[in-house]
Amino acid sequence: MIASAPLPSASPMRVSRLLLVTLRDDPAEAEIPSHRLLLRAGYIRRVSSGIYAYLPLLWRVLQKIAAIVREEMNAIGALETLLPQLQPAELWRRSGRWAGYTAGEGIMFHLEDRQGREMGLGPTHEEVITDLAADLIRSYRQLPVCLYQIQTKFRDEIRPRFGLMRGREFIMKDAYSFHADEACLRSTYEAMDSAYRRIFERCGLRAVAVEADSGAIGGSASQEFMVTAEAGEDLVLSSPDGRYGANQERAVSLPADPVPLEISECRELSTPGTASIEALCSGHGFDPTQTVKVLLLLARFADGGLQPLLVSLRGDQQLNEVKLANAVATRQPPCGGLLDITPLTAEQVEAEGLKPLPFGFVGPHLEDAVLKGARRWQPRFLRLADPTAVDLQRFVCGANATDSHLAGAAWGELTPAPEAVDLRAAQPGDRCLHDPFQRLEAARGIEVGHIFQLGRKYSEALDARFTTEGGVEEALWMGCYGIGVSRLAQAAVEQHHDGAGIRWPVAIAPFELLIVIASAQDPLQVSLAEQLYERLTAAGVEVLLDDRDERAGVKFKDADLIGIPWRLVVGRGAAEGRVEVVERAVGERRDLEVDAAVADLTAAISRQRSRRPGV
RNA sequence: CGGGAUGUAGCGCAGCUUGGUAGCGCACUUCGUUCGGGACGAAGGGGCCGCAGGUUCGAAUCCUGUCAUCCCGACCA
């Protein structure tokens, strides 16, 4: 797939010739409105789980989005290119991502060619582009440079979902920038940030930029662009004043102040059957902020390493697994990459040949000795704690013996305080760091774009170097920038629809205007509609003509469903030279003289059509 | 992968409990009447009841296996 073919020319586009198949009933497979509507209105068909055919109407939408993306990328000096989808494993081994992307919950489709060479179907293109950069870029004089492509990506998603929202094959714009220094990277990152804002705005989407986790891509700063919608898969936390917004994976906040614990020395507390924080607090009159809960987990690494984790959190806090994974990954770099982290189970402990652990009564002082003799695990815990736990003077925690807790324990006395790392999940209602009088609000969002400052992670791994002005060889600074083009199309539907169907923004609608012939039996209506088709097309409007010999009601229903933003009905007023103009999003109907209708439509549509400012 | 559910005509579904050789609505074809918000009547076409075994005289229906799809969790544009 290459999203670069020109839109069909001004040759008459007739619904009768469009292979338009709309469905009256909702397909059972679709859950969210945008998925249902795209299927019902004849925009997509499912071929396999997470794999869709983009039918002619949607293809026009995708090309319009691609055109806007292209304009904005070109405007900031990015160069369009097209990279291979089939990529050699060797390249991915060099970046250290082959195992992580293919083993375990790996997301890369991979295969062997007839020679037995391993290949992967590109889920992303950092490796290919960096290798090319290494080949092409020799000197600082060639920098900075930014390449992008609009390309089909393949990801063997653990769970494809919601039509185009999370497909296994999808269209993405990805851009990669190369720089001689970090300051230059930052300025391209800023330029991308504003280009992205323009792209989403021009596409008619309400999108917000939020701080994000860099995930498997890696790198330092990263920002996501979220289209706000109920059906969004991500939770965005933001401050009412608009100064802070972050994906919950990444969000930070001020925790509630703990209730002081009025116990001056540590004593044991009999707590039969009290294995949860709630039970402990309600049974013994503690506040959750006075407790420390200990989570035992197991980190699995690409090299086969298994590292037990002992994580301490204040009892009222929730673990943010993304933050934990990042903390673990940076502390155990030589293990070939972190595959996953899962809670430790009693069965696993037994399988290691270890004595049972007092799950539900574990305290932070659990000794490494309990791991002695483990078959495959590292024999010591990686100990991490959230600052909310480390900051407690006295606290209640498990006594490492079933049915027993400690009250009044203190770090130092009990066990040395573990390394403090931010591991807690910020929650809606938490106070904001920048202003404690602001409280975080939650909203759901669809991630349609993500920009990263990668730094030198890939250039170092793939040895992509250039010669500086001073004649020294250095690794390139890199950024990467993605937009889910097909996802964006569906996100637009999610944000712009009503009970009757889609309401495309003009800028990305498959057509700008639909001319409906109320009665295809009436030669007068037909000829007036054909004339209007010619005139409006000549005036530069993208027109679709519904010339089907259907009852008017059927055509109106289909018109609402497929959601073309403007509708011109040639009906019983045709003899008097009057037609009806309807704006889909507003629903208001106006009865106009033909000339007035043409003037009105061309003016309104060109006003709504998104153009680059100044072009 | 773990948990839940579903596979019957292009789409939505019934039939399965209690085995007897498949039905409804929409869509499709033809004819007639209708004709500005998913018309009506008549006549048609379309199904290896997901697939493979088994039980039985006989299986859409019971049993076993398998595949696929969807939903809830970890992943991401």
Side-chain angles (χ1 to χ4, degrees), chain A residues 282-505:
Chain A
S282 63
H284 297 267
F286 297 121
D287 186 85
T289 62
Q290 299 171 323
T291 67
V292 166
K293 68 177 165 191
V294 170
L295 306 175
L296 298 178
L297 307 111
L298 188 66
R300 204 160 57 90
F301 292 90
D303 68 355
L306 294 167
Q307 173 65 60
L309 310 176
L310 189 151
V311 176
S312 301
L313 293 175
R314 200 171 75 187
D316 62 314
Q317 298 298 319
Q318 298 298 316
L319 177 67
N320 180 321
E321 294 180 25
V322 173
K323 290 180 181 177
L324 175 65
N326 288 338
V328 171
T330 55
R331 277 160 189 76
Q332 309 271 317
C335 299
L338 176 64
L339 292 181
D340 57 30
I341 295 178
T342 50
L344 216 53
T345 64
E347 294 75 50
Q348 288 174 315
V349 172
E350 198 185 333
E352 284 298 299
L354 301 175
K355 286 197 204 123
L357 295 176
F359 284 107
F361 302 91
V362 174
H365 54 305
L366 187 68
E367 291 176 2
D368 288 339
V370 301
L371 298 175
K372 199 163 172 230
R375 297 206 173 102
R376 298 172 305 151
W377 298 351
Q378 293 299 309
R380 59 172 54 181
F381 286 110
L382 175 61
R383 292 165 190 269
L384 297 169
D386 186 76
T388 51
V390 175
D391 291 346
L392 292 174
Q393 299 302 309
R394 296 269 167 195
F395 54 85
V396 179
C397 68
N400 291 329
T402 301
D403 296 341
S404 182
H405 279 80
L406 299 178
W411 300 108
E413 288 176 14
L414 186 68
T415 183
E419 184 182 2
V421 203
D422 175 27
L423 295 174
R424 56 182 283 274
Q427 302 288 346
D430 283 356
R431 294 170 298 166
C432 299
L433 285 185
H434 74 277
D435 176 358
F437 293 102
Q438 301 273 325
R439 288 186 182 272
L440 289 177
E441 294 175 342
R444 303 215 64 90
I446 301 163
E447 184 192 355
V448 290
H450 200 157
I451 59 178
F452 302 79
Q453 292 181 34
L454 291 177
R456 295 159 131 172
K457 169 177 172 177
Y458 293 89
S459 54
E460 276 168 0
L462 295 162
D463 211 27
R465 302 176 163 277
F466 71 104
T467 306
T468 66
E469 201 168 354
V472 186
E473 284 234 320
E474 281 183 10
L476 290 158
W477 289 86
M478 289 178 60
C480 81
Y481 319 90
I483 289 181
V485 172
S486 44
R487 178 184 281 183
L488 190 156
Q490 187 170 335
V493 177
E494 198 58 41
Q495 216 171 51
H496 300 284
H497 70 272
D498 61 19
I502 300 171
R503 304 193 296 202
W504 289 110

Side-chain angles (χ1 to χ4, degrees), chain A residues 577-591:
Chain A
R578 300 192 72 84
V579 293
E580 183 182 278
V581 171
V582 187
E583 186 173 8
R584 172 69 182 87
V586 181
E588 175 207 26
R589 299 181 193 181
R590 286 175 304 148
D591 197 42

Side-chain angles (χ1 to χ4, degrees), chain A residues 181-200:
Chain A
D181 54 58
E182 191 173 8
C184 181
L185 164 60
R186 255 191 238 116
S187 90
T188 294
Y189 182 84
E190 296 302 325
M192 278 287 174
D193 177 33
S194 23
Y196 271 44
R197 290 170 198 265
R198 284 194 297 275
I199 288 168
F200 301 126

Side-chain angles (χ1 to χ4, degrees), chain A residues 467-543:
Chain A
T467 306
T468 66
E469 201 168 354
V472 186
E473 284 234 320
E474 281 183 10
L476 290 158
W477 289 86
M478 289 178 60
C480 81
Y481 319 90
I483 289 181
V485 172
S486 44
R487 178 184 281 183
L488 190 156
Q490 187 170 335
V493 177
E494 198 58 41
Q495 216 171 51
H496 300 284
H497 70 272
D498 61 19
I502 300 171
R503 304 193 296 202
W504 289 110
V506 170
I508 61 172
F511 291 90
E512 294 166 329
L513 172 67
L514 177 68
I515 299 181
V516 176
I517 307 174
S519 170
Q521 311 272 312
D522 180 351
L524 201 72
Q525 291 185 23
V526 173
S527 73
L528 179 57
E530 296 278 356
Q531 276 175 39
L532 281 164
Y533 181 94
E534 295 296 329
R535 271 181 76 177
L536 284 155
T537 301
V541 177
E542 289 176 18
V543 188

Side-chain angles (χ1 to χ4, degrees), chain A residues 590-614:
Chain A
R590 286 175 304 148
D591 197 42
L592 297 173
E593 291 287 334
V594 166
D595 289 343
V598 170
D600 233 66
L601 282 169
T602 47
I605 289 171
S606 77
R607 211 180 317 119
Q608 292 173 355
R609 198 148 40 198
S610 97
R611 287 223 177 79
R612 276 193 56 72

Side-chain angles (χ1 to χ4, degrees), chain A residues 164-194:
Chain A
L164 306 182
M165 222 52 121
R166 179 173 299 284
R168 297 194 296 166
E169 180 177 328
F170 59 98
I171 301 172
M172 177 173 164
K173 185 281 305 182
D174 50 330
Y176 306 89
S177 67
F178 300 92
H179 312 267
D181 54 58
E182 191 173 8
C184 181
L185 164 60
R186 255 191 238 116
S187 90
T188 294
Y189 182 84
E190 296 302 325
M192 278 287 174
D193 177 33
S194 23

Side-chain angles (χ1 to χ4, degrees), chain A residues 21-282:
Chain A
V21 179
T22 57
L23 304 174
R24 198 174 286 208
D25 299 311
D26 283 328
E29 69 188 61
E31 284 283 312
I32 63 173
S34 55
H35 187 195
R36 280 201 294 265
L37 288 170
L38 288 174
L39 282 166
R40 271 194 62 204
Y43 283 87
I44 56 172
R45 280 292 163 108
R46 191 182 63 78
V47 171
S48 172
S49 176
I51 299 177
Y52 287 81
Y54 311 127
L55 300 180
L57 279 179
L58 187 73
W59 185 233
R60 291 181 65 101
V61 172
L62 293 172
Q63 287 181 89
K64 289 210 172 175
I65 296 169
I68 291 172
V69 168
R70 201 169 268 130
E71 276 185 34
E72 294 296 340
M73 288 296 106
N74 294 346
I76 58 169
L79 305 165
E80 185 164 6
T81 181
L82 191 61
L83 302 169
Q85 297 170 327
L86 214 43
Q87 306 177 7
E90 191 263 330
L91 219 41
W92 286 73
R93 291 220 167 83
R94 280 207 273 148
S95 72
R97 294 206 297 179
W98 178 257
Y101 268 71
T102 57
E105 308 233 300
I107 214 167
M108 181 153 59
F109 287 105
H110 53 287
L111 53 106
E112 275 184 21
D113 69 11
R114 64 175 69 234
Q115 322 283 3
R117 287 182 290 241
E118 288 181 285
M119 317 282 286
L121 226 34
T124 173
H125 283 75
E126 281 83 8
E127 280 75 5
V128 170
I129 198 84
T130 310
D131 191 51
L132 275 170
D135 192 14
L136 298 171
I137 300 172
R138 313 271 160 83
S139 158
Y140 74 96
R141 292 168 193 269
Q142 294 168 290
L143 298 174
V145 66
C146 184
L147 294 163
Y148 76 96
Q149 62 172 344
I150 296 171
Q151 172 67 293
T152 293
K153 302 280 195 215
F154 299 88
R155 289 185 189 168
D156 194 0
E157 291 287 345
I158 301 160
R159 181 147 92 90
R161 234 194 300 217
F162 303 148
L164 306 182
M165 222 52 121
R166 179 173 299 284
R168 297 194 296 166
E169 180 177 328
F170 59 98
I171 301 172
M172 177 173 164
K173 185 281 305 182
D174 50 330
Y176 306 89
S177 67
F178 300 92
H179 312 267
D181 54 58
E182 191 173 8
C184 181
L185 164 60
R186 255 191 238 116
S187 90
T188 294
Y189 182 84
E190 296 302 325
M192 278 287 174
D193 177 33
S194 23
Y196 271 44
R197 290 170 198 265
R198 284 194 297 275
I199 288 168
F200 301 126
E201 194 193 324
R202 289 182 62 192
C203 287
L205 291 170
R206 295 184 301 278
V208 293
V210 300
E211 291 179 16
D213 182 72
S214 315
I217 307 286
S220 51
S222 112
Q223 188 168 272
E224 286 170 338
F225 292 83
M226 296 287 194
V227 167
T228 48
E230 268 308 300
E233 295 185 87
D234 290 277
L235 192 68
V236 173
L237 297 177
S238 53
S239 62
D241 65 6
R243 287 168 60 202
Y244 180 75
N247 193 311
Q248 191 186 29
E249 298 175 347
R250 161 87 182 196
V252 290
S253 65
L254 279 176
D257 291 326
V259 177
L261 185 63
E262 307 295 344
I263 299 176
S264 54
E265 58 185 33
C266 187
R267 56 180 162 79
E268 212 168 312
L269 194 65
S270 172
T271 53
T274 312
S276 70
I277 297 288
E278 300 81 68
L280 180 67
C281 291
S282 63

